[in-house]
Amino acid sequence: MIHEYLEYPTKEQWIDIEEHSKINHLYLDIKRPEITDFFALFTEHELASWVRLFNNRLGQSRTSYIFFMHYYNKGIPDKEWYISPGKEGQSIQYFPHFTKDETINYKVMFDYYVDAFYYKFFSAWDTIFHIINIQYQFDIETSKDFNRKILTNLNSVNPVLKRQINKTNNSKAFKRSRVLRNDITHNFAPNDISSGISKKKENGKLKKISFGVGNYTPSNEFVENIDGIIEEFIKFLNVFKRSLEATEKKG
């Protein structure tokens, strides 16, 4: 049973994972201005609430990172996720290097916390646009295209920040993460082996069905992608922090 393999990282393991990553940089610490205007106090209070939520979501991302790396470090040998022929003569053998029940259960927990990381990390990313909305008092109502409207308005007051948002969002790591996250949420999860079945249609009619090994994204590729988006995000945070503090000094 999977509960037999559930573990909480020791203090030493937790610190080791932190020291071999950059997750402790996932935090926004801005210098707050001294407010003397009565009405500005309301804006300041609302902004502080959004910044707190932003840091809480990043904190939950850091925790998820610790846990998926904890299970990853235990060993998930899925870089070679199939061999053909198999060790016992099968046409295809999946996960040929998984030798114990604990290995597949480590992968199950790794996948769970990777999913949680993406969810919390991109929740934090969306929170950025709410912080900008409050900071510059755009007063844009939440809607499906909220982020786009924020960027449109931001261009006239802080084009540098807008360029950094676009640069981060269009980075190779972020683009890849969106594909992975979208497939995890809405399509066949890339951290599971697909059926390998493909169909070809002509004029709406099925003409051909083929069968292959399927598709799969090994665990190390998720780790590499997440480390990549953290790198990009840290660069963004430096610009974001300077922008907020500079704006506050002007106000």
Side-chain angles (χ1 to χ4, degrees):
M1 298 295 290
I2 192 170
H3 65 264
E4 298 175 8
Y5 305 101
L6 299 180
E7 292 183 2
Y8 196 91
T10 65
K11 180 180 179 180
E12 291 74 21
Q13 290 170 328
W14 192 291
I15 293 173
D16 183 67
I17 293 171
E18 286 182 329
E19 290 179 344
H20 287 85
S21 70
K22 296 185 177 181
I23 58 172
N24 282 338
H25 295 283
L26 297 180
Y27 186 81
L28 178 63
D29 182 21
I30 56 178
K31 297 178 181 178
R32 310 308 304 160
E34 182 178 348
I35 302 298
T36 56
D37 179 76
F38 177 76
F39 292 102
L41 287 172
F42 294 99
T43 299
E44 172 66 13
H45 179 70
E46 188 176 12
L47 182 64
S49 297
W50 278 104
V51 171
R52 184 182 67 249
L53 177 63
F54 176 70
N55 282 325
N56 286 343
R57 286 172 170 169
L58 287 180
Q60 292 163 342
S61 300
R62 294 194 302 270
T63 300
S64 297
Y65 186 98
I66 292 291
F67 275 89
F68 78 65
M69 283 303 300
H70 173 68
Y71 287 103
Y72 181 76
N73 290 339
K74 284 183 170 295
I76 304 176
D78 63 346
K79 195 168 186 179
E80 184 179 45
W81 53 276
Y82 79 93
I83 57 175
S84 181
K87 294 178 180 179
E88 298 179 1
Q90 314 98 306
S91 60
I92 300 173
Q93 181 181 356
Y94 294 106
F95 297 138
H97 308 298
F98 281 30
T99 57
K100 300 178 180 179
D101 287 341
E102 64 184 18
T103 308
I104 190 63
N105 284 298
Y106 291 156
K107 174 177 160 46
V108 169
M109 296 311 301
F110 170 85
D111 290 345
Y112 176 84
Y113 285 109
V114 163
D115 291 359
F117 177 90
Y118 280 127
Y119 173 70
K120 289 299 182 180
F121 181 85
F122 283 101
S123 292
W125 176 258
D126 284 339
T127 305
I128 289 166
F129 296 87
H130 290 277
I131 293 174
I132 293 172
N133 190 37
I134 301 301
Q135 178 61 44
Y136 293 102
Q137 300 181 43
F138 292 151
D139 296 326
I140 296 173
E141 295 291 332
T142 302
S143 62
K144 185 177 181 180
D145 57 350
F146 176 77
N147 291 5
R148 182 188 60 79
K149 290 179 180 178
I150 293 297
L151 286 178
T152 299
N153 282 266
L154 184 61
N155 191 55
S156 62
V157 295
N158 195 334
V160 173
L161 181 57
K162 180 186 177 181
R163 285 195 297 270
Q164 188 61 41
I165 290 174
N166 287 334
K167 182 179 179 180
T168 303
N169 207 30
N170 292 322
S171 66
K172 182 178 179 180
F174 264 68
K175 286 183 176 179
R176 175 63 172 155
S177 70
R178 285 197 295 273
V179 173
L180 293 172
R181 179 190 176 216
N182 186 65
D183 284 344
I184 287 172
T185 306
H186 302 292
N187 303 313
F188 197 93
N191 47 15
D192 202 348
I193 300 172
S194 67
S195 67
I197 295 175
S198 60
K199 301 177 181 179
K200 183 179 179 180
K201 289 186 176 182
E202 292 181 6
N203 299 320
K205 294 183 179 181
L206 183 63
K207 292 294 184 179
K208 182 180 179 181
I209 298 179
S210 58
F211 179 78
V213 297
N215 296 305
Y216 176 74
T217 302
S219 302
N220 68 293
E221 293 188 22
F222 283 99
V223 174
E224 291 169 5
N225 176 252
I226 288 174
D227 283 340
I229 62 176
I230 289 174
E231 287 272 4
E232 295 294 337
F233 196 71
I234 290 171
K235 297 175 190 176
F236 165 77
L237 278 181
N238 291 330
V239 176
F240 193 37
K241 173 183 169 67
R242 291 196 300 269
S243 296
L244 288 175
E245 291 180 340
T247 305
E248 288 168 354
K249 289 175 183 176
K250 290 177 183 178

